[in-house]
């Protein structure tokens, strides 16, 4: 048995080395017949059916060379069979890892719903929950129709998931002798040649990231957003604005090519989406909130703000814990694999994620304690989320110490930002979404260009540039420039496109619910259709105004 295990380990190692290096190996054409003979000897030494029938409480006889599928039953197991099994095992591990982490990210939808509804008044909780529920459907449908093709249609070449070769249609433009990706073209409806097992895995994973970005906007616009306008806005975001930036950063587009084409570090780097997911969601939330205006009673005539307290802080903090749990899918899952190509770094990424959330919470609690005399529960939750948002982009590239610094800065930054958005910009954001996801998302993007320490090694390159991602503090100022270009694109391009789309929705549909509905509770008008007396609704509105 020991000889069999050593033999199996030898062949697995030799096959991996041969496949990865392409150099001469013991599995050259001249030695394959001898290797086949040794495999047959290993088959003979494997546990017999009688041995396995006795049970295997310690796991010593389950899973042997006899479990390797053979292509020719007469020939028995061959080197080719073992090689194919080794390759499929690697891809299978990565498939399972990516799918499970995608499921975790999907569960974050429940956390967002609880945080947003808890920070709203009870009369509007139903409307807020419904937006969080329906945005999943809106986003998924729009992304399946068009968004996935725009974002990932040219993303072929990912060895973790089998190559993703069907996704090989990137629309490009040539400027100054260099080719720049603009948007993808393969994958609409997941049909034709994109009806592929690897494409399905990356679709699911990228889809739940997209839906996270869409959910951010519902928080900033809660308690006064017309449901039809919310639906149309979410469809546009899932089909166009989010996928565009996603392509530029992750799908082979021009931001990722800043390193290869201009020598700016490894190009724009955003490991798990501080920019692609959170900042896109944050700047989109800012644009819509500016159009929709504040809730009735939020600001006085002199411009001073009134606190409008949420109805359930327990839901808020439980929702934050759900989100923190889901973040273990968000960040470690963004390796898109657990086997080969440096993916064993998933443990470091998970620890970095925990630590940044921890120090983000500490930063927010200390700030509120010093400034207000006691910690604030809702701001403590936002501090946790701020740290998690900020570490999302650099999580694959930084050390635990640096992740603590990044999270602490985010915890302080979110407190400053919430006050600035409300008191200086005069924008009503019931949950602090613009600050948590927009401000701290941009900080996360910037922190890659500062703190990336050059120790990660994901297959020897990133964005097609050999070497590891390294920031300014570790010797590469070019990476910081690439990150700043990404930030400028988020603020200048994505914000502008979102603003124009939602101004169009404002013109044709109207973004805001009626004043009567807002005062009485956004779900009250539907009760009128079910026989709820109209005079009762008017009475409630008059009482609220009084």
């Amino acid at each position: 048995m020991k000889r069999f295990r050593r033999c199996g380990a030898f062949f697995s190692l030799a096959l991996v080395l041969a496949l990865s290096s392409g150099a001469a190996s013991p599995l050259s054409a001249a030695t394959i017949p001898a290797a086949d003979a040794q495999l047959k000897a290993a088959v003979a030494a494997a546990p017999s059916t009688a041995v396995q029938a006795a049970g295997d409480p310690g796991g010593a006889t389950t899973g042997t060379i006899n479990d390797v599928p053979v292509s020719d039953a007469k020939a028995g197991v061959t080197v080719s069979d073992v090689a194919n099994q080794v390759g499929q095992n690697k891809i299978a591990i990565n498939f399972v890892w990516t799918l499970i982490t995608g499921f975790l990210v999907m569960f974050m939808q429940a956390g967002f719903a609880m945080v947003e509804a808890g920070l709203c008044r009870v009369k509007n909780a139903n409307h807020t929950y419904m937006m969080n529920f329906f945005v999943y459907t809106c986003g998924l449908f729009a992304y399946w129709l068009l968004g996935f093709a725009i974002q990932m249609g040219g993303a072929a070449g990912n060895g973790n998931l089998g190559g993703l070769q069907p996704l090989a249609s990137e629309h490009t433009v040539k400027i100054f002798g260099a080719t720049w990706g603009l948007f993808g073209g393969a994958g609409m409806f997941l049909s034709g040649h994109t009806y592929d097992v690897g494409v399905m895995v990356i679709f699911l994973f990228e889809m739940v990231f997209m839906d996270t970005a869409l959910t951010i906007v519902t928080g900033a616009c809660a308690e006064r957003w017309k449901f039809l306008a919310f639906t149309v806005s979410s469809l546009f975001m899932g089909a166009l604005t989010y996928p565009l930036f996603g392509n530029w950063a992750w799908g082979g587009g021009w931001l990722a090519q800043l390193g290869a084409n201009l020598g700016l570090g490894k190009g724009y780097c955003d490991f798990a989406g501080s920019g692609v997911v959170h900042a896109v969601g944050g700047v989109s939330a800012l644009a819509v909130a500016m159009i929709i205006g504040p809730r009735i009673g939020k600001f006085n005539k002199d411009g001073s703000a009134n606190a409008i307290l949420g109805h359930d802080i327990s839901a808020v903090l439980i929702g934050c814990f759900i989100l923190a749990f889901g973040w273990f899918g968000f960040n470690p899952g963004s390796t898109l694999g657990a086997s080969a190509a440096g993916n064993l770094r998933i443990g470091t990424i998970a620890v970095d994620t925990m630590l940044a959330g921890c120090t983000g919470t500490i930063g927010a609690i200390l700030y509120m304690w010093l400034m207000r005399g006691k910690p604030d529960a809702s701001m403590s939750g936002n501090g946790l989320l701020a740290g998690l948002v900020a570490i999302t982009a650099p999580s694959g590239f930084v050390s635990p110490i640096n992740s603590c610094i990044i999270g602490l800065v985010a915890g302080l930054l979110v407190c400053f930002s919430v006050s600035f958005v409300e008191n200086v910009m005069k924008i009503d954001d019931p949950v602090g979404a613009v600050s948590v996801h927009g401000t701290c998302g941009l900080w996360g993007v910037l922190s890659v260009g500062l703190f990336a320490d050059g120790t990660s090694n994901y297959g020897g390159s990133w964005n097609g540039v050999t070497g590891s991602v390294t920031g300014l503090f570790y010797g590469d100022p070019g990476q910081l420039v690439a990150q700043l270009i990404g930030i400028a694109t988020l603020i200048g391009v994505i914000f502008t496109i979102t603003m124009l789309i939602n101004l169009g929705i404002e013109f044709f549909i109207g973004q805001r619910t009626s004043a009567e509905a807002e005062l009485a509770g956004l779900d009250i008008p539907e009760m009128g259709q079910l026989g709820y007396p109209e005079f009762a609704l008017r009475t409630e509105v008059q009482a609220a105004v009084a």
Side-chain angles (χ1 to χ4, degrees), residues 161-180:
L161 300 178
L164 302 180
Q165 296 308 326
L167 301 176
S169 178
E170 178 76 7
H171 297 279
T172 62
V173 62
K174 203 159 191 176
I175 301 176
F176 303 124
T179 301
W180 303 89

Side-chain angles (χ1 to χ4, degrees), residues 314-476:
S314 62
V316 174
L317 295 182
I318 292 171
C320 287
F321 274 123
I322 292 174
L323 288 169
F325 177 67
W327 239 285
F328 289 123
F330 221 99
N331 290 359
S334 292
T335 57
L336 300 179
S339 175
N343 291 329
L344 291 182
R345 197 173 169 96
I346 53 178
T348 302
I349 297 168
V351 171
D352 284 349
T353 300
M354 281 197 307
L355 289 172
C358 168
T359 56
T361 306
I362 291 172
I365 287 178
L366 289 178
Y367 178 89
M368 297 304 292
W369 210 334
L370 291 172
M371 299 301 294
R372 304 289 176 85
K374 62 179 181 178
D376 177 82
S378 61
M379 193 58 75
S380 300
N382 274 345
L384 170 65
L385 300 183
L388 293 169
V389 167
I391 197 59
T392 298
S395 59
F397 311 121
V398 301
S399 69
I401 291 176
N402 285 334
S403 70
C404 289
I405 297 171
I406 293 167
L408 182 63
V409 172
L412 298 171
L413 190 60
V414 72
C415 298
F416 287 112
S417 180
V418 165
S419 178
F420 182 83
V421 168
E422 181 173 285
N423 297 311
V424 178
M425 298 181 72
K426 305 299 180 185
I427 293 172
D428 184 13
D429 181 357
V431 305
V434 173
S435 298
V436 171
H437 301 278
T439 303
C440 294
L442 295 176
W443 161 238
V445 170
L446 181 66
S447 67
V448 175
L450 299 173
F451 294 101
D453 60 13
T455 61
S456 62
N457 181 23
Y458 300 104
S461 65
W462 193 266
N463 285 337
V465 182
T466 301
S468 301
V469 179
T470 306
L472 175 66
F473 296 157
Y474 293 86
D476 188 358

Side-chain angles (χ1 to χ4, degrees), residues 472-505:
L472 175 66
F473 296 157
Y474 293 86
D476 188 358
Q479 189 61 56
L480 179 60
V481 176
Q483 301 306 110
L484 289 171
I485 292 174
I487 290 172
T489 303
L490 283 160
I491 296 172
V493 179
I494 300 303
F495 175 83
T496 301
I497 294 175
T498 302
M499 177 66 79
L500 292 174
I501 289 173
N502 282 277
L503 283 172
I505 295 172

